[in-house]
Amino acid sequence: MSKVELGKKFKLKSTGQRFVVVEETKIYRLSPVAARALQTPNLTEQDVLDQFEPYEDEET
């Protein structure tokens, strides 16, 4: 099985169009704290920073 790496070439199975891997990105998925079975769509780090803000649990 092929590993995806920068510079590696791939051909689209359906059309034969050729592609080369030019960027590697990290993808994040977030789950609500109270409903771990639910998840956001795939988000980039910038999406997370733009749409969410960090918080700490409040101590009682």
Side-chain angles (χ1 to χ4, degrees):
M1 190 165 199
S2 296
K3 184 176 177 183
V4 177
E5 301 171 330
L6 288 176
K8 190 157 189 173
K9 296 176 182 177
F10 289 88
K11 188 165 48 172
L12 188 60
K13 293 177 181 179
S14 60
T15 65
Q17 185 176 3
R18 298 180 292 174
F19 293 84
V20 63
V21 178
V22 296
E23 183 180 3
E24 180 180 326
T25 59
K26 191 179 281 189
I27 297 297
Y28 298 90
R29 289 189 189 147
L30 284 71
S31 292
V33 174
R36 296 290 171 129
L38 303 175
Q39 291 184 342
T40 65
N42 292 344
L43 300 169
T44 65
E45 183 175 20
Q46 191 60 52
D47 292 334
V48 173
L49 295 173
D50 289 346
Q51 299 175 38
F52 298 87
E53 60 185 30
Y55 79 97
E56 297 291 329
D57 285 329
E58 294 179 15
E59 294 182 25
T60 58

